[in-house]
Amino acid sequence: MLDILDATAVRRWARLAADALGRTRREIDTLNVFPVPDGDTGTNLHLTVLAAAESVAELPEEAPLPEVWRALSRGALMGARGNSGVIVSQILRSLAEILGSGGRPDGPLLEEALAYATELARAAVAHPVEGTILTVLRAASEAAGGTTAAEVARSAARGARRALRETTGQLDVLAERGVVDAGAAGLCVLLDALVAVVTEEYPERYEVPARDETKSVVIAHPAEKDFGYEVIYLLETEDERVPELRAALDVLGDSLVVVGGDGLWNVHVHVDDAGAAIEAGLAAGRAYRIRVTHLGTAKAPRAPHTGRGVVAVTAADGLAALFEEAGASVVRRPSGGLPQLAVLVEAILLAGDEVAVLPNEPEVLALAEAAAARARDSGVKIAVIPTEASVQGLAALAVHDPLRHFHEDVIEMAGTARATRFGGLQVAAEEAMTTVGICQPGDVLGLLEGDVVMIGSSAGEVTRGLLNRMLSGGGELVTMITGVGVPPGLVAEVEEELHARRPDVELTVYDGGQVLYPVLLGVE
């Protein structure tokens, strides 16, 4: 038996817990009826803890205990899936803060860490409900006691198991289905794996209580509101902005969990308007790794007619006209915002039963994937082509051929988009740190593939420099899309520069009317 949780023990726990949840995930999935009966809690917990274990495995064997705990915590935060997975990532973060703080990681410190995890996990959930993973975590903390890590872990796991059995009677939906809470069952497996490590007694199997088959599978008292989408993303923002984000998301939906700290947060919420939930994150900071999942609570719409179509998303009048002239159906989005998910789904269904979707912005991609998943329920064949800029979307549309087999058409469009390098100009609104130094208000920024690579004082200077960089890797065609605020004479200046330096390159200029970027550039 171990007196302390040293770095070796934490490593072993990470590996064993991931393995244990992998072995029990299907059993846990069958218990999943709350908050949404989507049957993936076990899978989400396994993927969350597996991400944590893989993060630890990347460290050198001699890494000290605080570093191991940091890797475990960050891996779980970055890889958290689903409602329970996000909560477990907060539990691991809490344990890391206490047990990786430099104190002796013995029984009393583990007991303190469990109490801290109970507090932080409950605070992360907007509306805690009894009979869930939070209830069982509190019971584990209250039951924990002893002088060694082994004694505390064993008593906590026993307390969790007792509380798990009681969850069936604490929530109507669990009682009606004859199950214990799925997330709580996963937590018990996690704690049992910890007991196995500190006692060095490894069980042949980890217990997951089976469904009581005598119970009905019909919910007699459904929730007042079923939300259609699960939205999860990572968010880089100042910690003081998180309360405002919580309040905004709480109005939009339920199952809200926001965990993290020190500038990095994991956000989980169930909503009807996935776009609004993503926009709230974008307003608070940098949202990325956005995942939108259709929860299947609404009846699927049906496609009104057959045929091949393309749907393109854009915010600007000129760009919308360009896409429409090329044969695409256009979904307009507010400048700096996202289109409504329902509008995007409707546009896909109206386009036909074989549809390619061009999101044309990184933040629209997850929303397009969710709309595609929703529309596929009606039998539509859909491919989301991951265009990150309008010039990539236009390039993809230029090679679209409705007479080809759909799969071949999608491959050709995606390949052309991927081969199109994109850049643009933006005027700095305030002083900020960029990857190439500090910019001042009014500076012209040159962006390449979304990153600032140049800072200049004039649009002509930056456009010429940006084009030189983009063409250094080859290219025969330059597409230039002018927007609001493009300086007079810039197009002629670019034409002259290309004629003198690269007479082999063809330049095509369009008026896009976009607001944020005076100039958009594409090189093929």
Side-chain angles (χ1 to χ4, degrees):
M1 291 197 181
L2 300 182
D3 291 337
I4 63 171
L5 269 175
D6 58 15
T8 301
V10 175
R11 282 179 177 275
R12 191 177 298 126
W13 180 40
R15 290 194 301 268
L16 188 63
D19 178 67
L21 286 166
R23 287 156 55 187
T24 57
R25 67 179 180 85
R26 295 186 189 280
E27 297 172 81
I28 297 172
D29 283 344
T30 64
L31 303 175
N32 180 197
V33 298
F34 180 85
V36 175
D38 47 1
D40 63 358
T41 293
T43 300
N44 287 335
L45 287 172
H46 175 229
L47 293 173
T48 301
V49 177
L50 184 62
E54 289 176 346
S55 179
V56 171
E58 292 174 359
L59 295 176
E61 286 296 327
E62 63 275 11
L65 180 62
E67 191 173 339
V68 173
W69 272 117
R70 278 195 299 272
L72 183 75
S73 171
R74 184 173 179 83
L77 180 67
M78 300 289 285
R81 302 289 189 94
N83 189 66
S84 294
V86 174
I87 293 172
V88 163
S89 76
Q90 184 75 330
I91 293 171
L92 294 177
R93 175 186 174 87
S94 305
L95 297 180
E97 287 188 25
I98 300 299
L99 293 166
S101 63
R104 188 171 188 270
D106 54 9
L109 197 65
L110 175 57
E111 188 176 342
E112 179 185 339
L114 288 169
Y116 184 58
T118 301
E119 177 186 343
L120 262 62
R122 189 165 288 266
V125 178
H127 303 286
V129 175
E130 294 305 325
T132 64
I133 187 173
L134 298 176
T135 304
V136 173
L137 175 62
R138 183 180 61 209
S141 171
E142 292 173 350
T147 57
T148 68
E151 290 169 349
V152 172
R154 195 195 295 273
S155 58
R158 286 173 176 165
R161 284 286 173 187
R162 287 193 296 269
L164 176 65
R165 292 191 292 270
E166 295 172 2
T167 59
T168 304
Q170 293 173 318
L171 271 175
D172 287 346
V173 65
L174 300 181
E176 290 160 357
R177 299 293 186 96
V179 295
V180 297
D181 181 70
L187 175 63
C188 286
V189 171
L190 192 68
L191 292 175
D192 286 347
L194 178 60
V195 172
V197 169
V198 295
T199 63
E200 300 178 317
E201 298 173 2
Y202 300 96
E204 292 185 6
R205 63 179 301 274
Y206 293 86
E207 179 192 352
V208 175
R211 177 194 297 270
D212 182 350
E213 298 297 341
T214 65
K215 298 292 184 179
S216 169
V217 297
V218 178
I219 301 177
H221 309 288
E224 291 183 6
K225 171 67 175 174
D226 287 328
F227 291 92
Y229 300 92
E230 177 186 63
V231 178
I232 302 178
Y233 49 81
L234 292 174
L235 179 70
E236 291 179 359
T237 187
E238 297 89 351
D239 293 359
E240 55 269 21
R241 301 189 68 176
V242 172
E244 182 180 350
L245 173 65
R246 287 182 194 268
L249 293 174
D250 195 27
V251 172
L252 294 175
D254 69 2
S255 297
L256 173 61
V257 187
V258 183
V259 302
D262 300 325
L264 180 63
W265 297 81
N266 192 307
V267 179
H268 170 282
V269 67
H270 292 172
V271 292
D272 278 332
D273 189 346
I278 297 170
E279 284 184 17
L282 294 172
R286 175 176 172 256
Y288 61 106
R289 290 198 187 178
I290 302 169
R291 293 194 299 273
V292 181
T293 304
H294 176 226
L295 295 173
T297 55
K299 183 178 179 181
R302 305 303 301 176
H305 64 270
T306 61
R308 177 79 58 81
V310 178
V311 173
V313 180
T314 186
D317 293 337
L319 284 169
L322 289 173
F323 281 114
E324 287 172 345
E325 287 170 12
S329 301
V330 173
V331 172
R332 298 295 298 272
R333 65 183 183 87
S335 180
L338 297 174
Q340 290 187 358
L341 190 63
V343 172
L344 190 51
V345 171
E346 182 181 5
I348 292 171
L349 294 176
L350 289 171
D353 61 359
E354 290 183 338
V355 183
V357 183
L358 306 172
N360 300 325
E361 290 286 351
E363 61 266 26
V364 180
L365 179 58
L367 199 65
E369 293 283 7
R374 182 79 175 92
R376 285 189 190 105
D377 292 343
S378 68
V380 178
K381 187 182 294 184
I382 307 165
V384 178
I385 298 172
T387 51
E388 297 185 57
S390 295
V391 288
Q392 286 189 320
L394 290 169
L397 197 52
V399 300
H400 166 56
D401 183 355
L403 299 180
R404 274 194 298 245
H405 186 279
F406 182 60
H407 180 66
E408 294 174 353
D409 195 28
V410 167
I411 290 176
E412 185 68 22
M413 293 175 72
T416 301
R418 189 166 50 248
T420 303
R421 295 185 293 281
F422 63 93
L425 269 60
Q426 194 171 5
V427 178
E430 58 185 18
E431 181 179 311
M433 175 61 72
T434 75
T435 53
V436 291
I438 298 176
C439 67
Q440 301 296 329
D443 282 348
V444 180
L445 310 179
L447 287 80
L448 184 59
E449 312 284 316
D451 294 324
V452 177
V453 296
M454 297 181 64
I455 300 175
S457 56
S458 74
E461 168 199 355
V462 175
T463 303
R464 292 194 303 273
L466 195 57
L467 270 176
N468 286 335
R469 290 187 64 153
M470 294 175 72
L471 287 167
S472 63
E476 301 173 347
L477 174 64
V478 171
T479 301
M480 182 176 180
I481 302 176
T482 60
V484 175
V486 62
L490 179 62
V491 173
E493 188 178 337
V494 171
E495 289 176 335
E496 183 179 346
E497 175 81 8
L498 287 176
H499 180 73
R501 291 179 176 270
R502 293 294 304 269
D504 57 313
V505 172
E506 178 185 351
L507 173 66
T508 304
V509 181
Y510 300 107
D511 178 13
Q514 69 274 6
V515 176
L516 188 59
Y517 303 100
V519 174
L520 292 172
L521 297 169
V523 171
E524 301 175 58

